[in-house]
Amino acid sequence: MSPMQNAINIDERYLNSLPFPALIMDNNGNVMIWGKSAEQQFGFATSDIIGHATSPITESLLRQLSQETFEQIAQNENFTYIENIQVYTQTNDEITTSLLAKSFTENDECLILIMFVLPQFMIKPTSTNNALEDLKQSLESTFMTVTLDQDGFIVDCNQNFLKISQWTPKRVIGKTFWQLFPDNNESEKITNTIWRNLNHGLTWQGEIEKISKSGHPYWVLLTAIPTFNFETNEQQFMLLEKDITKAKTIQHQLEKIAYIDTETGLMNAHRLEKIITKMIEEQRHFSFVYLSIDKFYTLKELQDHPSERNLIIEFTNRMKMYFQDSTMARINENDFVVITPLSEWFIQGFLSYLQQHPIYNGSVAVPISISGGITRFPEDQSTFSQLMKASIATISTVREAGGDNIVSLSKAIHKALNRKALIEKRLLQALDQKNLKVLYQPQVDVASGKITAVEALVRWEDEVIGVVSPDELIPVAEETGLINNIGSFMLEKACEQALIWKKAGFDLKVSINSSVREFRDKNMAKSVLDTLTKTGCPANLLQIEITEKFALEAEAATFITQQMRKLENEGIVFVLDDFGIGYGSFRYMQILPIDTLKIDQSFTSSLLKSEKTQKLMLGMVQLGKSMELTVVAEGVETAEQAELLKSFGCDTIQGYHISKPVTPEEIEILLLK
Ligand code: C2E
Ligand code: CA
Ligand code: CA
């Protein structure tokens, strides 16, 4: 949860969360932020409004609002209500609206928030100057609303609220604000913050847990607004709530399944990755110890399921005893990772510890041996995926030498991993000579059975170093900044190809992969649009895939979000790729203009083998659907997987089952089939 405290600060998300179209302007009438809903309502894009000395909207506002009204707004601690203002939409339609305006100070500058309380939000137009009444009526249908008096007593609420909270009108009146929330420390902390904000004339917004009359928990997206009752002349507060319990519940379940290995209670690889990434950020030194149980599969064949389980649990117990407080994870059926500051000889001592404390199956000691690799941060490797790759390389050399050993990352492996420098050098040349190629992998729409989109994937075969797979190429390119060049190369190729297909009569969208690094460039949106113009490719044929890591960064950086919005407004669709492996929050799906979820292929690959994965994938499809997103499954290799995913409600399927990534000509053959 990250509530936006002191929420009236310059943040587009705040505007977008308000119940009415809204803008923020400075003292001179320049619009600083133009909300998304204002954009939809009036038809002016952000670029039509921001940065223009006058805009059709501000021009009409400034004409109608007198100097006195502005002074009144500046002096009023609460919202000022103004009726009967005419504004014009982009298509020049006149709208008569009421305004709720409030001034606030940001970085010593006086700014004004203006909300347009449009006629369609008013169920029954009133002639009174009662802002609270108008607000209440207009919000009745979409939100749960609760009105509090200045001491925090509930004085009113709507039907939606009563339905979910299970209170009866008689009983709830006179209860306090605090009684609506669970009785625990965390809740107390947040409710006190909300209360403090409201009393300082500030709005608060965030996700928060509430309880019904019978003590049943539910989740809401809460917007708390200070208002004013003109009849009693008293301060009041309004709570606007949207029920998000369904999405929250699914998220919690998913997090549970996604983070913990249920058999051992250890964390799983996803969680480990998060922890390691954090440790790396904090520059904490550690050894990454990868332990793999040798010949696990033959051992397994000798045993039935309960004793196989017993073996894993007993092994985990020994790891816990020996490594004590170190961080431990189970990342695969027979693979474990221990993160420890302990020395190499101590780690290697685990082998003799295992011999001294054998694992019994009945009365027989099970002869297990393990292969292990020690990779150090920061000396040996510097990212989670490098640590993993280096470990796997080490383990396989240990195995080849007979196993039952734990060794440190060898010099030879070091050398192999240092291909990076070479790749970088050759890549520069390849980009220069346009030696990269693009293959396209089709996606099939489940409902129609037709290919409706393709994903563009980069391919590179260098004459000196041979084939370099994207998994190796992209991280190096990201590190060196060459990803921008790859990105614009791919974009141009994809647009050209999309247009060729369009001219040939195929209705095919092309998806490109994008790295957040490309969007850190403030000109990204512009250069994408320029490429569309240059190639003549219509914007609605282009999709851009971003990852969760990208989404997290984008969420925090307004200029990235703005660029995404700009592209979305032109008709470009954003796809959240590799969904499910980075679980932070689903919040950014509400904030970013994401249209499609693509569930990571690691889930598809274990789908038929694991009931847990089935639950997880079904949950993810449902989560996507509950947010009205299109859901794609990738890495689909078999008809069985496709069938199951279809029954889960997946919209689109991509994978070898349909086709590997192929040339444009081969795509056309598939289309004509
Ligand atoms: P991705 O975006 O998740 O792309 C899907 C990857 O899965 C592709 O690997 C594809 O060949 C592979 N794949 C597709 N269907 C199946 C299947 O049924 N089974 C299996 N096992 N694999 C399947 P590829 O082409 O090696 O690309 C790997 C990753 O490299 C991509 O993952 C993407 O993250 C990145 N990448 C590729 N091209 C580009 C690019 O032009 N720009 C950027 N920024 N990243 C790219
Ligand atoms: Ca992708
Ligand atoms: Ca993917």
Side-chain angles (χ1 to χ4, degrees):
M1 186 181 351
S2 92
M4 278 175 263
Q5 294 168 8
N6 299 334
I8 303 190
N9 55 20
I10 303 234
D11 189 327
E12 190 183 329
R13 285 179 288 175
Y14 171 69
L15 283 204
N16 295 341
S17 70
L18 292 173
F20 307 115
L23 60 81
I24 289 179
M25 61 160 72
D26 69 9
N27 242 343
N28 306 318
N30 295 321
V31 178
M32 317 287 289
I33 303 186
W34 179 241
K36 195 166 172 55
S37 133
E39 198 172 302
Q40 280 162 359
Q41 199 59 245
F42 301 116
F44 296 106
T46 307
S47 54
D48 300 331
I49 300 285
I50 309 277
H52 295 277
T54 57
S55 68
I57 293 284
T58 46
E59 196 272 325
S60 51
L61 287 179
L62 294 176
R63 190 160 32 78
Q64 292 167 80
L65 300 178
S66 65
Q67 188 59 32
E68 276 148 49
T69 315
F70 275 111
E71 276 162 23
Q72 199 185 334
I73 296 170
Q75 280 156 17
N76 194 347
E77 277 200 10
N78 302 303
F79 280 93
T80 305
Y81 186 72
I82 306 150
E83 277 195 306
N84 218 359
I85 297 291
Q86 279 79 38
V87 283
Y88 296 88
T89 66
Q90 199 204 13
T91 47
N92 221 12
D93 295 324
E94 183 184 294
I95 299 182
T96 302
T97 175
S98 300
L99 305 178
L100 274 170
K102 186 178 182 320
S103 68
F104 62 103
T105 314
E106 172 92 15
N107 299 334
D108 291 334
E109 195 182 356
C110 177
L111 301 175
I112 302 168
L113 163 71
I114 294 182
M115 289 198 265
F116 298 87
V117 188
L118 297 167
Q120 64 261 43
F121 292 109
M122 310 271 208
I123 289 168
K124 194 168 45 160
T126 56
S127 57
T128 67
N129 230 14
N130 190 337
L132 182 61
E133 210 36 53
D134 292 340
L135 255 172
K136 254 169 40 194
Q137 283 172 4
S138 57
L139 300 173
E140 198 80 6
S141 52
T142 30
F143 288 86
M144 295 180 261
T145 65
V146 175
T147 311
L148 307 169
D149 71 9
Q150 54 193 349
D151 301 316
F153 284 97
I154 297 170
V155 291
D156 199 4
C157 64
N158 73 351
Q159 276 303 327
N160 285 348
F161 172 79
L162 293 173
K163 206 164 108 199
I164 305 237
S165 70
Q166 300 167 343
W167 283 99
T168 55
K170 253 194 193 156
R171 294 269 172 150
V172 78
I173 304 298
K175 290 276 179 302
T176 71
F177 164 66
W178 294 272
Q179 283 170 294
L180 300 176
F181 300 92
D183 184 13
N184 59 41
N185 284 344
E186 197 189 342
S187 189
E188 195 183 313
K189 246 187 3 228
I190 301 176
T191 47
N192 287 341
T193 309
I194 299 175
W195 191 245
R196 225 181 12 255
N197 271 302
L198 287 174
N199 277 292
H200 283 89
L202 298 171
T203 304
W204 184 96
Q205 193 192 49
E207 291 167 5
I208 185 167
E209 188 178 22
K210 298 189 73 188
I211 47 162
S212 69
K213 177 169 177 287
S214 58
H216 192 73
Y218 63 101
W219 279 87
V220 296
L221 180 64
L222 173 79
T223 310
I225 313 177
T227 57
F228 197 75
N229 186 330
F230 286 88
E231 273 165 22
T232 60
N233 243 351
E234 273 173 6
Q235 169 86 63
Q236 284 196 339
F237 306 111
M238 180 132 191
L239 310 180
L240 304 178
E241 303 176 337
K242 233 170 150 175
D243 188 2
I244 53 166
T245 311
K246 198 171 155 207
K248 266 281 172 197
T249 318
I250 301 176
Q251 191 205 6
H252 279 169
Q253 284 167 351
L254 292 182
E255 275 176 357
K256 237 193 188 153
I257 318 178
Y259 276 150
I260 295 166
D261 171 54
T262 41
E263 219 161 32
T264 59
L266 294 177
M267 67 179 81
N268 68 13
H270 306 320
R271 178 95 191 122
L272 180 71
E273 177 170 2
K274 280 197 137 189
I275 289 184
I276 302 252
T277 309
K278 185 133 186 287
M279 288 175 80
I280 291 176
E281 266 169 31
E282 292 167 358
Q283 283 296 314
R284 285 161 60 184
H285 295 208
F286 58 86
S287 286
F288 186 92
V289 185
Y290 193 108
L291 301 172
S292 181
I293 303 178
D294 288 331
K295 305 192 195 88
F296 189 58
Y297 292 99
T298 41
L299 280 179
K300 227 166 84 175
E301 281 157 21
L302 295 174
Q303 295 168 343
D304 50 14
H305 186 71
S307 45
E308 174 198 327
R309 207 186 136 131
N310 177 50
L311 175 81
I312 290 293
I313 289 169
E314 285 300 313
F315 179 78
T316 307
N317 286 342
R318 278 156 187 70
M319 245 172 46
K320 285 182 185 163
M321 295 288 278
Y322 190 78
F323 292 106
Q324 302 271 341
D325 298 328
S326 302
T327 302
M328 284 166 237
R330 183 182 186 195
I331 54 172
N332 238 321
E333 205 172 1
N334 55 337
D335 294 346
F336 299 81
V337 167
V338 181
I339 303 302
T340 175
L342 298 168
S343 66
E344 188 176 325
W345 66 263
F346 181 87
I347 297 165
Q348 286 164 335
F350 183 52
L351 292 176
S352 25
Y353 179 82
L354 271 182
Q355 275 175 358
Q356 287 151 17
H357 302 84
I359 297 170
Y360 288 94
N361 182 20
S363 58
V364 187
V366 184
I368 65 164
S369 85
I370 56 171
S371 293
I374 306 172
T375 316
R376 287 163 311 163
F377 174 83
E379 294 86 344
D380 295 333
Q381 294 299 326
S382 54
T383 66
F384 176 74
S385 75
Q386 287 171 359
L387 286 163
M388 285 291 285
K389 276 184 198 151
S391 302
I392 289 163
T394 312
I395 299 278
S396 64
T397 54
V398 173
R399 281 237 168 85
E400 276 166 29
D404 206 18
N405 201 358
I406 302 177
V407 306
S408 288
L409 180 69
S410 75
K411 290 223 164 59
I413 294 167
H414 243 310
K415 205 168 151 198
L417 290 163
N418 278 347
R419 233 161 79 97
K420 220 168 74 181
L422 186 58
I423 291 183
E424 189 186 338
K425 203 169 114 204
R426 300 292 309 165
L427 181 58
L428 267 168
Q429 197 174 349
L431 280 163
D432 206 34
Q433 300 170 350
K434 300 209 181 292
N435 270 346
L436 300 181
K437 298 218 158 30
V438 192
L439 290 186
Y440 298 87
Q441 185 174 36
Q443 295 178 352
V444 162
D445 173 60
V446 169
S448 67
K450 293 216 159 67
I451 297 174
T452 51
V454 293
E455 176 174 3
L457 294 157
V458 68
R459 289 295 177 263
W460 180 32
E461 181 166 5
D462 183 75
E463 52 190 19
V464 176
I465 47 178
V467 175
V468 182
S469 79
D471 284 332
E472 194 177 6
L473 169 66
I474 301 297
V476 177
E478 276 185 345
E479 228 170 274
T480 55
L482 289 174
I483 193 72
N484 291 320
N485 309 46
I486 297 185
S488 39
F489 172 84
M490 294 294 288
L491 174 68
E492 194 170 326
K493 286 277 171 204
C495 289
E496 282 168 6
Q497 190 55 53
L499 189 69
I500 295 177
W501 279 324
K502 185 178 152 64
K503 284 186 177 155
F506 299 118
D507 191 15
L508 208 53
K509 287 187 191 252
V510 179
S511 213
I512 56 163
N513 290 282
S514 177
S515 147
V516 70
R517 184 154 179 163
E518 295 172 62
F519 273 83
R520 282 192 206 133
D521 177 352
K522 296 210 157 78
N523 284 322
M524 177 65 180
K526 185 173 176 300
S527 60
V528 171
L529 296 177
D530 286 350
T531 308
L532 288 174
T533 315
K534 190 177 120 192
T535 55
C537 169
N540 66 0
L541 290 184
L542 185 64
Q543 297 187 336
I544 299 182
E545 301 195 4
I546 64 165
T547 58
E548 281 183 280
K549 205 173 110 213
F550 181 126
L552 277 177
E553 184 171 333
E555 186 197 355
T558 323
F559 78 93
I560 298 185
T561 326
Q562 275 167 358
Q563 299 210 73
M564 291 174 71
R565 288 254 154 74
K566 190 166 172 190
L567 294 175
E568 188 205 25
N569 282 336
E570 296 295 324
I572 293 172
V573 161
F574 282 91
V575 179
L576 187 58
D577 199 0
D578 302 345
F579 179 69
I581 55 171
Y583 266 17
S585 145
F586 68 100
R587 198 181 52 232
Y588 49 66
M589 292 191 241
Q590 293 168 319
I591 290 163
L592 299 177
I594 289 166
D595 177 86
T596 302
L597 281 192
K598 198 191 248 195
I599 301 176
D600 189 67
Q601 50 181 296
S602 61
F603 296 103
T604 313
S605 77
S606 61
L607 184 66
L608 298 175
K609 287 178 254 164
S610 150
E611 209 173 302
K612 190 172 104 181
T613 309
Q614 286 170 20
K615 272 196 206 144
L616 200 52
M617 270 192 111
L618 178 61
M620 286 193 269
V621 177
Q622 285 170 345
L623 181 67
K625 295 272 139 189
S626 79
M627 305 182 94
E628 291 168 5
L629 302 171
T630 305
V631 181
V632 184
E634 66 176 333
V636 180
E637 296 184 354
T638 67
E640 288 94 324
Q641 288 169 342
E643 272 313 305
L644 194 54
L645 289 165
K646 200 169 157 181
S647 76
F648 286 173
C650 254
D651 301 298
T652 311
I653 276 173
Q654 177 182 354
Y656 297 166
H657 173 56
I658 290 136
S659 162
K660 293 203 168 186
V662 292
T663 61
E665 295 73 33
E666 288 168 292
I667 289 286
E668 280 158 35
I669 296 172
L670 288 169
L671 281 166
L672 294 171
K673 255 190 192 168

